[in-house]
Amino acid sequence: MRLVGRLRVIQAVHVAVAVGIDPATLTTIGTVAQLGARNSATFTRGGRLEYVHIPPDEAATIAALDLGAAEVARAAARRVIEAVS
């Protein structure tokens, strides 16, 4: 997001950030300490999770993609975790 904001490759004033993980079969949630040294982990909630698609919930300015990339990414990651938890 920061790169897109800095390069100004999008000509719109506002953008909406969506998140997608497809396939999500090797997705796991946890801290680095909880996960340890792994090469992969299978998501086990109710079997295999094929995909996670989180639609945008608000618009952000292009400047926010540069200066506020961490905040935008944190909010998107939180929505993914809520969706799969």
Side-chain angles (χ1 to χ4, degrees), residues 9 11-13 16-17 39-40 43 56-57 63 65 68 74 76 80:
V9 294
Q11 299 303 311
V13 176
V17 177
N39 292 328
S40 65
F43 189 82
D57 67 343
L65 289 184
R74 191 175 302 110
V80 168

Side-chain angles (χ1 to χ4, degrees), residues 3-78:
L3 181 62
V4 170
R6 285 187 183 169
L7 293 179
R8 307 221 187 276
V9 294
I10 299 174
Q11 299 303 311
V13 176
H14 290 90
V15 294
V17 177
V19 179
I21 303 171
D22 192 354
T25 55
L26 297 178
T27 302
T28 190
I29 297 172
T31 66
V32 173
Q34 291 171 325
L35 300 178
R38 296 184 185 185
N39 292 328
S40 65
T42 303
F43 189 82
T44 59
R45 181 180 177 250
R48 298 179 72 89
L49 183 65
E50 293 183 24
Y51 62 87
V52 177
H53 293 166
I54 308 296
D57 67 343
E58 61 183 83
T61 64
I62 294 298
L65 289 184
D66 179 7
L67 302 173
E71 182 179 338
V72 173
R74 191 175 302 110
R78 188 176 307 114

